[in-house]
Amino acid sequence: QVQLVESGGGLVQAGGSLRLSCAASGRTFSRYTMGWFRQAPGKERDIVAAIHSSGVIKYYADSVKGRFTIFRDNAKNTVYLQMSSLKPEDTAVYYCAADDSSSWHGPQISAYDYWGQGTQVTVSS
């Protein structure tokens, strides 16, 4: 069982930056693909970014390419999402998730086995 705890959300003006963190429990974090997803009110939960256990393979949704960066520190059991040039449309609850399979599934939401409780990000115009 893996527990994921997100932090770093908040209110920011358009054009600003935030860094989200997701701390994982357990000793096998380094084996997991980690993903960040977001869900706006009335919308489906969508992929934002994903990172392979090695940290080398990454995936970004088109809407965040060039603005968001996903990275991980396996020694700290933590995955991060650095968000820059934020837009009002980035407003959502952001969730981190872990995929404990050995295959790379990237943005495939059904592949993720463990989820955090979410952290709210609000971007004002």
Side-chain angles (χ1 to χ4, degrees):
Q1 190 74 10
V2 176
Q3 290 187 328
L4 304 172
V5 179
E6 302 99 334
S7 61
L11 174 64
V12 64
Q13 288 188 332
S17 298
L18 280 176
R19 177 180 290 187
L20 304 183
S21 300
C22 173
S25 65
R27 302 178 181 178
T28 56
F29 172 81
S30 62
R31 302 205 316 244
Y32 300 148
T33 288
M34 298 298 297
W36 284 99
F37 295 79
R38 67 186 180 187
Q39 188 168 19
K43 295 188 176 182
E44 294 184 349
R45 190 173 299 187
D46 291 326
I47 182 72
V48 176
I51 185 168
H52 187 261
S53 58
S54 66
V56 175
I57 303 172
K58 300 180 182 181
Y59 171 89
Y60 293 97
D62 288 343
S63 59
V64 306
K65 282 181 181 176
R67 300 189 298 122
F68 291 11
T69 302
I70 187 171
F71 58 102
R72 65 192 297 161
D73 185 338
N74 286 343
K76 295 183 178 180
N77 280 14
T78 302
V79 62
Y80 303 92
L81 186 68
Q82 178 67 45
M83 305 186 294
S84 303
S85 302
L86 282 161
K87 305 175 181 180
E89 51 263 45
D90 294 318
T91 296
V93 177
Y94 283 70
Y95 300 89
C96 77
D99 169 9
D100 67 358
S101 72
S102 58
S103 302
W104 165 251
H105 297 109
Q108 186 179 333
I109 191 171
S110 61
Y112 289 83
D113 305 285
Y114 306 103
W115 293 83
Q117 82 288 351
T119 186
Q120 177 71 46
V121 172
T122 302
V123 184
S124 63
S125 57

